[in-house]
Amino acid sequence: MAFVGLRKLVYAKLLTDPLGGPATYEEVKPFAKAITANVETATNTATNYADNRPVKVVTQIGETTLTLTSDELSQEVLSDILGMELKKGVVIYKQTAKAPYVALGFIGDKDDDTEQVVWLTKGKFSVPSTNINTKTDSPEFQNPEITGTFIGRDADEVFKIVGDTADEAFATYRPTFFDQVFDPAVLDAPTV
């Protein structure tokens, strides 16, 4: 399987995340038109040695870093995900602003005409860098890039949810996967 496309970037602000759950979110909103999404989850491994040989391996999952490139980040989305003030079309950046936790979802199209659908459940975005070049003889797109750091929710420790339409068991959940941040608890519900 190889990915051949990326689309439908969406997000929802996290409202509550109590220990033991459930986490709640605002409505799902469009993020931007997707160009690239690089998702890297830190994994650290330690090996314990005894009697001159390795006897145990422990792996710990850390934060997930998401680097997104899109065609344009609207002022409305930027202010919403960064916790900045938007007034009459102007984003007012303050050092004291507090970015809210958000969930981010997207679709990865695969070469076999199936999809991988993803939710990253709890993260914050950083203020994006701005790189603007002068025009030259050849047009050159200068697309915005933004980085987010995602962690597990307090409610259930879930940091990422991935469905794949190549798996027939997922077919029931695909039509509504992005209606709200997908709740894995529905997978335990009895089927009718």
Side-chain angles (χ1 to χ4, degrees), residues 1-173:
M1 174 236 14
F3 288 104
V4 295
L6 172 67
R7 61 190 166 91
K8 193 167 177 152
L9 280 175
V10 294
Y11 76 102
K13 286 166 64 173
L14 180 65
L15 293 174
T16 62
D17 185 23
L19 285 173
T24 61
Y25 295 87
E26 286 186 357
E27 75 277 3
V28 174
K29 301 176 186 175
F31 190 88
K33 291 183 181 175
I35 296 175
T36 63
N38 182 18
V39 181
E40 291 188 34
T41 300
T43 305
N44 296 306
T45 303
T47 304
N48 192 23
Y49 288 81
D51 287 338
N52 296 326
R53 65 182 186 87
V55 293
K56 290 182 187 171
V57 175
V58 176
T59 302
Q60 184 166 325
I61 296 174
E63 77 279 354
T64 296
T65 302
L66 169 71
T67 305
L68 279 176
T69 306
S70 64
D71 73 329
E72 181 180 358
L73 290 170
S74 73
Q75 297 283 72
E76 183 177 301
V77 170
L78 269 176
S79 63
D80 204 22
I81 65 171
L82 297 176
M84 301 295 175
E85 183 180 358
L86 177 63
K87 188 183 281 187
K88 296 183 181 179
V90 175
V91 177
I92 302 165
Y93 289 83
K94 293 184 180 178
Q95 290 182 331
T96 55
K98 302 271 189 244
Y101 281 112
V102 298
L104 186 103
F106 57 89
I107 298 172
D109 294 311
K110 300 189 304 181
D111 61 354
D112 61 358
D113 293 329
T114 61
E115 302 170 333
Q116 191 173 87
V117 291
V118 177
W119 273 110
L120 299 173
T121 61
K122 181 180 180 179
K124 289 189 178 193
F125 283 97
S126 302
V127 174
S129 298
T130 303
N131 295 308
I132 303 170
N133 297 321
T134 191
K135 288 183 181 180
T136 62
D137 293 337
S138 299
E140 180 183 339
F141 290 100
Q142 299 160 50
N143 299 103
E145 184 176 273
I146 191 165
T147 302
T149 302
F150 289 79
I151 58 175
R153 296 185 293 212
D154 293 337
D156 54 11
E157 299 180 357
V158 172
F159 70 95
K160 185 177 180 180
I161 300 166
V162 179
D164 198 312
T165 61
D167 187 334
E168 290 180 22
F170 179 65
T172 304
Y173 308 104

